[in-house]
Amino acid sequence: RMTTMPAIDHARVRVELAARMRAGPWSQRLLADASGVDQTTLSKFLLGRQETLGLEYVEAIAAALGCPRADLTGEPSPLPPPG
């Protein structure tokens, strides 16, 4: 059975990402280096000049920040498998 990914609320990702960057030691350059996402892409997204980020970018950024993707996107966390 195929499951579909919920649509990402990119506005929420932008707000959450900016808040985490302010709260921690994260410059755009540090986050770009840690996540593998180009600094120009991060800058454009944070400034609203780029509306969306690919799921792979959101996952890479979340991993670099040490948080689950759901912390940035607001999507429900997956339930653990039964048993």
Side-chain angles (χ1 to χ4, degrees), residues 2-69:
M2 198 155 92
T3 58
T4 58
M5 292 297 304
I8 293 175
D9 180 349
H10 292 280
R12 179 188 171 109
V13 173
R14 186 176 290 109
V15 169
E16 290 293 330
L17 177 55
R20 286 171 186 269
M21 288 177 71
R22 279 192 307 272
W26 294 104
S27 67
Q28 288 180 14
R29 172 55 48 212
L30 285 173
L31 187 55
D33 290 346
S35 67
V37 176
D38 186 74
Q39 190 267 331
T40 302
T41 300
L42 278 174
S43 176
K44 287 180 180 177
F45 180 70
L46 288 165
L47 292 171
R49 294 183 182 144
Q50 178 174 321
E51 291 296 317
T52 64
L53 282 178
L55 180 61
E56 66 279 2
Y57 287 169
V58 176
E59 289 178 341
I61 291 167
L65 293 171
C67 67
R69 182 182 76 206

